[in-house]
Amino acid sequence: MTLVEERGPSEMAQARRAMIDSQLRVSGVNDPAILTAFDSVAREDFVPAGRRAVAYVDRAVPLGDGSVLAPALTHGQMLTAAEVVPTDSVLVIGKACAYLAALAGKLAASVATAAPDDDWAAQGTFSLILVDGALEVVPAALAAALAPEGRVVTGLVERGVTRLALGRKVAGELVFTTLAEADFAAIPEYAAPAKWSF
């Protein structure tokens, strides 16, 4: 019998509670609505069956298709920075963004998802965009999909370090404030072009 087979629903619920208490709360993710969202969304449902036993570890979980499920703390930091309100319309962008979308769905009026290479603006504009990964180059389409008073929460790659960032529109352009280092996987579609050097 494998560890996955041994862990039933009650053990997973205990692991989820331990994640909240030992990963989120101690790192400054303390908003009751956000913690309730984490408690009500089963993280193990968003990983392959063979990885369910490690769904609640404090690191990214490889999903087997080249993508990863970000650490819960990264998602908690994103939702805290976003200051989600019940009237928000949210777009979650990422290859493996279903878990973050499920969390946001507990906090906002509506949530849509998109892959990194989708036409985001075709879905309309959103008051909040969550990018589940890190950008080296910020695509112009991001600003086009954001409502005038909206905000973007994403990872940014700066000199090889990924940081949590909050963006807002200023004169039609996105302007970002970096908040803290965070554990984001880089999104390959938005890597900086390779530079020639001699």
Side-chain angles (χ1 to χ4, degrees), residues 21 41 47 50 71 86 104 141 143-144 157 170 182 187:
D21 292 338
V41 176
V47 299
V157 180
V170 176
I187 298 177

Side-chain angles (χ1 to χ4, degrees), residues 7-84:
R7 291 189 102 169
S10 66
E11 289 85 3
M12 286 297 186
Q14 289 173 355
R16 189 159 48 254
R17 176 53 51 198
M19 174 193 73
I20 291 166
D21 292 338
S22 66
Q23 296 174 34
L24 301 177
R25 287 181 187 276
V26 299
S27 300
V29 178
N30 291 303
D31 181 290
I34 293 172
L35 295 176
T36 298
F38 274 99
D39 194 39
S40 63
V41 176
R43 187 171 162 90
E44 68 272 17
D45 291 346
F46 297 87
V47 299
R51 294 202 167 98
R52 289 172 61 97
V54 296
Y56 293 100
V57 297
D58 190 14
R59 65 175 182 261
V61 179
L63 300 180
D65 60 357
S67 64
V68 298
L69 176 63
L73 178 57
T74 300
H75 287 151
Q77 291 170 324
M78 291 182 75
L79 294 170
T80 298
E83 297 182 348
V84 186

Side-chain angles (χ1 to χ4, degrees), residues 52-150:
R52 289 172 61 97
V54 296
Y56 293 100
V57 297
D58 190 14
R59 65 175 182 261
V61 179
L63 300 180
D65 60 357
S67 64
V68 298
L69 176 63
L73 178 57
T74 300
H75 287 151
Q77 291 170 324
M78 291 182 75
L79 294 170
T80 298
E83 297 182 348
V84 186
V85 295
T87 56
D88 271 327
S89 59
V90 182
L91 175 63
V92 183
I93 298 168
K95 186 174 178 185
C97 65
Y99 178 66
L100 180 56
L103 294 170
K106 300 291 184 179
L107 304 167
S110 64
V111 177
T113 61
D117 55 358
D118 285 350
D119 179 6
W120 308 325
Q123 296 191 48
T125 58
F126 299 84
S127 61
L128 174 61
I129 299 175
L130 301 171
V131 181
D132 197 1
L135 309 170
E136 270 190 289
V137 175
V138 177
L142 204 53
L146 187 65
E149 301 299 318

